[in-house]
Amino acid sequence: MDIKTLVSQLTLEEKAGLCSGADFWHTKAVERLGIPASMVSDGPHGLRKQDEGGDHLGVNESIEAVCFPAACATAASFDPALLRKMGEAIGDSCQHEGVSVVLGPAVNIKRSPLCGRNFEYFSEDPYLAGRMAAAFVRGVQSRNVGTSIKHFAANSQEHRRMSSSSEVDERTLREIYFPAFETAVKEEQPWTVMCSYNRLNGVFASENPWLLTEVLRKEWGFEGYVVSDWGAVSDRVAGLAAGLDLEMPSSGGYNDRKIVEAVRAGKLDERLLDQAVERILRIVFRYTENARPDTPWDKEAQHRLAAEIAADCMVLLKNEDALLPLKSEDEIAFIGEFAAKPRFQGGGSSHIHCFKTTSALEAAEGLKVRYAQGFSAAQDSASDEQIAEAVAAARAAKAAVVFAGLPDVYESEGYDRTHMRLPDCQNRLIEAVAAANPNTVVVLHNGSPVEMPWIDQVKAVLEAYLGGEAVGLAAVRVLFGELSPSGCLPESFPKKLADNPSYLYYGGEGNVTEYREGIFVGYRYYDRKETELLFPFGHGLSYTHFVFSDLRLSATRITDRDTLTATVTVTNTGERAGKAVAQLYVRDCESGVLRPLRELKGFEKVFLQPGESKAVSFTLDKRSFAYWNTAIHDWHVESGEFAIEIGRSSRDIALSETVYVESTTVLPRHYDENSIFMDILADPHAAAVIRPLLDGFRETFMPSGEEQTAAAREAITDEMNLAMLQYMPLRALVSFAGDRLDPAVIGQLVAALNAE
Ligand code: BGC
């Protein structure tokens, strides 16, 4: 299809019309030119296609679809291959249903445990989120169905989500809030990007030219169309000029008319409109020309896949006395309503009308399991009778498993949590059960961290997250040892909310939310701060045991233009098969800028039989070592030593080797009379210029031999003089040297320091 010619045949009104939806879920058709309408639908962890009665809050019915684990869970798998498979399955369902773009993945950073939408997001770590998102995009798009990576950008709270301005500094955006989008765009070219509701540093994302054009298109090379989040458009004309192509849903023609008027009045260049229409039509035709409505959608098979994925996402947080796996011959009590009716997805636009669900209770059929409801999630209560019944069931059993978690109203799109606790009734229930049976296990269903006041009273905790419609089946397989758990936490679990780095600022004041903790998000903060945690980032136990050995680097010295290969051997020294995750962190041993202690820069998941070993390798490049330098507005590596660490979590490093990385970028010099000696001496070029002056500094700036007493000489050593000198600005030389220094020397020095 020659899109440019097609666009040239459209009237101004038709072009403006194509830049907004026909209704809630469709782009417009122009029949006279054979332009079809195309449908988009939520996602991201299943297809939420609404045939009629469209809404973006999960209110009205959608067609039956398989609900896969939400991103909070899939991230815990640390396995991009799973995300890809899930994407392929969702892509198939889209083809079957005639949906051109699935609205996801959602990759916003889990900045605070409070964000109501955390369950839809992958991680507090941008590297992990980026790899997972890219794999999902690859899977969906392999089916010729588009994705819409969202919500771009810095949309980490629901509170005032349509009006709040996220105030984020440049380095923090680049290092924390952008990379997941950047990775997916650069590696997989999602067909569309969805801009967020919020403002970014005062400007709505939907009309932010820096975000949508400079960064997204010019720097990262994005080729698809940008779509607004539903209702995110404030000034449509400014948005179009900034790079927002498609407004969703429809504005009933209101904003289309504004575009027409702006072009007629010469306020909007028609070429910008043409460009937006071209981008939209290219995607519309990419889908229609590859539409395969005959694609089968085997929901039973997808339900099985959902169970497989969910099992690989479960994180075994604690397992004292190897209580898990449970033995199938033992009497076990399943306690808590979530055993019968699991909480497996969150509320809002991602809410799937499930094909079917498998609860843990159903999955345990044939086992010696006795059930007690324990609490009612809808009523947020546990009566004395319910607790007594649960205690009796626990007493009569070999082990008790409490299926706890956050009820639907606790976390949802559209609003934030107000605290990090489980419902009080569930905490009471867990404590009562643990007192009745020392072999108590807690299975958690939640989208982000919860406090665990009972942690020392229970022997085992299995984090199931919101594991999709087959979560019960997966939980039983893991609990009874059909599979060994292999998930790792994609976020830190603080002991209490006040420990979280965004605690003081989260939510902001009025419409302003300052991201004051900057780059110190999640473990980047906790590790530097040595905060005692409930569980650290990356933590996850197994039923078997893995040993890491033989870490080798391909070089001991590289430049920032080279790549480095790190190889490590992973051995299963336990007695059963299982999957291990090797996590690679990079630590800048000494740095002139504020940096996290270590950052995740690689991970690989491997399946190993007992006794088996496998070598795993990682490729590191400039970005693995770099920080965002705001003087050059680019990534920069400081020359020096870096530790390459292999760990089981950010707090449990098993092996470490160092490499020296040399920067090939010379940072610009901006010396002036207020530059201090410390900075000058740290720069080899500048140090060479200043050295002769310094060598003579005692004679020039200190009292001469006759004037200085012997006692004074002893009291102030050369070393001390130097230490004090380091913070002195160049201009101060004149004050201290008096008439021994011609003030004109300062100007000459500055010129010499700045010379190439
Ligand atoms: C959500 C998006 C969603 C859209 C369409 C919005 O409220 O923020 O994530 O894709 O609605 O349902």
Side-chain angles (χ1 to χ4, degrees), residues 24-25 41-44 48 50 55-58 103-104 106 117 120-121 150-151 155 158 161 194 197 228-231 348-350 413:
F24 229 83
W25 303 118
S41 280
D42 280 309
R48 179 172 168 264
Q50 290 188 312
D55 73 88
H56 62 302
L57 294 172
L103 303 174
R117 236 175 152 173
E120 271 187 76
Y121 301 150
K150 65 189 186 184
H151 311 87
N155 180 195
E158 288 300 279
R161 67 170 172 164
M194 187 189 294
Y197 284 129
S228 71
D229 197 345
W230 269 231
S349 61
S350 68
E413 175 178 341

